[in-house]
Amino acid sequence: MDTIPLWAQFLALAFLIFLSAFFAMAETALMAANRFRLRHQAKRGSRRAIATLWLLERTERLLSLVLIANTLLNALAIALVTAIAITNFGVEEHVIIISTAAVVFVLIVVAEISPKIIGARYADQVVLPASIVLRPLLRMARPLIWFVDLFVNALLRLFRIKPSSSLANADLSPDELRSVLLESGSFIPQKHRSILLNLFDLESISVEDVMTPRTQIEALNLAVPVEEIIEQLTTCYHNKLPVYDGEINQIVGILHVRKALGLLREEDELTVHHFRALLSDPYFIPLETAALDQLQNFQENKERLAIIVDEYGEVQGLVTLDDIIEEMIGEFTTSTPSAARAESFSWDLHGECLLEGVTALRDINKRLGLNFPLDGPKTLNGLLLEWLQDIPDAPISVKIGNCIIEVMQVQNQSIKVVKLRRIEGPALQI
């Protein structure tokens, strides 16, 4: 050491600290890097991204390299400082202790904490250039890593810990992927993120949650006079109508309204048989069918409308392809006056909202930010009847969660109109 200038010794010390800081920063940046962005860049031909993904596929070997390098560099830095102190001040115990403490402090601040903070905060900017250096180092250090791993694996087996080579390749669960979408921030537009989240929700709902209830089905009755059938056809809001004979459970087919209107122009004296000739076969599905499965069934069967029946074969409602698609991308049609009204409800200035009893609880939760349970009744009327265990014959109010529900009108054994009043405060689970 006497023949080496002091400035060269300190320059070597600074170089050791710099290398230690580089490894610490590179390790943190690799662990914090956005793997989805790296895969996207790799598909576009980025060599740095490809090198980074290559390193991440060998996480255990990479960690071994970084830890070995950091340990050796830190030990060399402490030894060098000790040698400098002895050379310049002699074997003085207090000088050696002070110099060692000083270099340990510098290593903690400059070579550990600071570079790791930088690596975590600027992971995407650091990881790509760092991978160009680490990849050849990892290849050159393979024999050393193999030798060290022999002892590491022996120690792990001693404690009955099985080494794993797939640390960085764990698949994301649906809930984890949902969390990734929720935390994507400005990287994914709000509308796109909403569609993807709705697609996850589609797995947990059935056609019952999105169907048009039986009482709201617009259908054609062949048992009424032809004049009434014609009048209904000229004023209907849909292109396809279920057709029944006398009673809604006796559905005999589906009528394309455009074909029927063409029939009105061609025939002078229409009969029920003319309309029967235009019917296509009805498509029936069970009440418990999952919405996502039904979307696929529509595609496979080349259908757009299905009649929903329960276990007794009685009609409960109908669902269309549009109903399921709207669950994913939001409502885009207002084909009936009732649909137009359903789109418009919201809290007024007094924190109140007037609703029909047939309004779906899912729509209320979405539009008003409430938390009504969805595992039971599907409508506001059904929720109140279940809650009250009776059909009220006078105005009554109940408190459910963070909302006061006031029954305003009851008609034909069902609640027709209610008023919701919001209660300020944290949301309550029902």
Side-chain angles (χ1 to χ4, degrees):
M1 293 290 293
D2 294 337
T3 60
I4 302 176
L6 186 61
W7 63 268
Q9 297 176 28
F10 278 103
L11 184 61
L13 177 62
F15 182 68
L16 292 174
I17 295 174
F18 169 78
L19 289 179
S20 181
F22 167 78
F23 280 107
M25 182 169 57
E27 175 196 10
T28 307
L30 281 165
M31 297 301 105
N34 188 318
R35 285 167 172 76
F36 301 104
R37 185 181 292 111
L38 288 172
R39 291 191 184 101
H40 173 70
Q41 293 176 349
K43 289 179 180 179
R44 298 179 62 180
S46 172
R47 292 184 178 180
R48 292 182 175 183
I50 294 172
T52 304
L53 291 175
W54 185 88
L55 289 171
L56 290 175
E57 290 172 357
R58 296 156 178 81
T59 305
E60 292 184 353
R61 288 169 54 189
L62 177 64
L63 291 176
S64 297
L65 171 66
V66 171
L67 291 174
I68 291 172
N70 265 340
T71 302
L72 290 175
L73 290 169
N74 292 342
L76 286 173
I78 294 173
L80 182 57
V81 167
T82 304
I84 293 172
I86 293 174
T87 301
N88 291 276
F89 300 99
V91 186
E92 296 288 342
E93 184 177 341
H94 66 280
V95 172
I96 295 175
I97 293 175
I98 293 174
S99 61
T100 303
V103 74
V104 167
F105 177 78
V106 171
L107 287 172
I108 291 174
V109 175
V110 178
E112 291 293 335
I113 298 178
S114 298
K116 288 185 176 181
I117 291 176
I118 295 172
R121 186 168 299 177
Y122 302 101
D124 293 336
Q125 291 88 339
V126 171
V127 70
L128 295 178
S131 62
I132 301 299
V133 178
L134 289 176
R135 185 171 181 176
L137 284 177
L138 186 61
R139 285 175 171 168
M140 289 187 295
R142 184 178 299 174
L144 177 61
I145 294 173
W146 173 83
F147 179 74
V148 173
D149 283 347
L150 287 178
F151 297 92
V152 172
N153 292 332
L155 183 62
L156 292 177
R157 283 194 294 270
L158 181 64
F159 289 99
R160 300 180 183 274
I161 299 174
K162 185 178 180 181
S164 173
S165 59
S166 58
L167 188 63
N169 294 326
D171 295 329
L172 289 176
S173 67
D175 289 338
E176 290 170 338
L177 186 54
R178 183 185 178 91
S179 298
V180 170
L181 290 172
L182 288 171
E183 297 173 2
S184 59
S186 59
F187 296 107
I188 301 179
Q190 174 62 33
K191 184 63 177 178
H192 296 173
R193 184 164 61 250
S194 176
I195 292 174
L196 292 172
L197 291 173
N198 289 340
L199 186 58
F200 281 106
D201 294 337
L202 205 62
E203 294 183 342
S204 60
I205 65 175
S206 67
V207 292
E208 185 181 8
D209 295 299
V210 298
M211 72 178 184
T212 300
R214 169 177 173 153
T215 55
Q216 297 181 33
I217 294 178
E218 185 179 13
L220 201 64
N221 185 5
L222 295 181
V224 301
V226 175
E227 291 76 13
E228 292 186 21
I229 295 177
I230 295 174
E231 182 180 357
Q232 183 177 353
L233 285 173
T234 55
T235 58
C236 70
Y237 292 96
H238 300 93
N239 185 39
K240 292 183 179 180
L241 292 179
V243 178
Y244 62 94
D245 194 354
E247 202 268 326
I248 189 66
N249 289 317
Q250 303 299 323
I251 292 182
V252 294
I254 304 297
L255 178 65
H256 289 257
V257 176
R258 291 181 181 177
K259 293 181 181 180
L261 293 178
L263 192 65
L264 297 180
R265 293 192 297 268
E266 297 173 2
E267 299 290 339
D268 294 331
E269 294 185 6
L270 289 174
T271 65
V272 172
H273 299 291
H274 288 101
F275 295 109
R276 285 186 182 274
L278 299 178
L279 299 182
S280 58
D281 294 335
Y283 174 40
F284 295 99
I285 61 173
L287 186 64
E288 296 80 13
T289 305
L292 192 60
D293 292 340
Q294 187 54 43
L295 182 63
Q296 184 176 358
N297 293 338
F298 275 139
Q299 183 181 26
E300 293 175 352
N301 296 312
K302 294 180 172 57
E303 296 282 354
R304 298 180 64 90
L305 184 148
I307 306 299
I308 301 173
V309 295
D310 62 12
E311 57 183 319
Y312 303 105
E314 294 189 352
V315 174
Q316 299 298 311
L318 68 80
V319 65
T320 66
L321 180 62
D322 291 348
D323 293 330
I324 300 177
I325 292 176
E326 285 181 353
E327 280 297 311
M328 294 188 291
I329 67 174
E331 294 184 6
F332 57 89
T333 61
T334 54
S335 55
T336 65
S338 60
R341 287 196 301 271
E343 287 186 357
S344 63
F345 68 80
S346 60
W347 297 112
D348 62 18
L349 296 177
H350 303 289
E352 298 179 346
C353 181
L354 206 62
L355 290 176
E356 295 181 357
V358 295
T359 307
L361 294 176
R362 286 177 56 82
D363 293 337
I364 295 174
N365 287 349
K366 286 181 179 179
R367 299 182 185 281
L368 302 183
L370 297 176
N371 194 31
F372 289 140
L374 302 176
D375 54 352
K378 305 302 179 183
T379 65
L380 194 53
N381 173 60
L383 177 65
L384 287 172
L385 294 182
E386 181 185 72
W387 194 270
L388 296 171
Q389 297 293 308
D390 191 14
I391 301 175
D393 54 3
I396 187 173
S397 296
V398 296
K399 180 177 179 293
I400 302 179
N402 278 40
C403 184
I404 294 177
I405 306 177
E406 181 180 354
V407 177
M408 305 294 292
Q409 181 182 353
V410 179
Q411 184 181 358
N412 297 331
Q413 294 78 49
S414 65
I415 298 171
K416 291 296 181 182
V417 182
V418 300
K419 180 191 290 185
L420 304 185
R421 186 178 300 112
R422 180 173 53 190
I423 301 175
E424 299 297 335
L428 299 177
Q429 295 292 333
I430 302 172

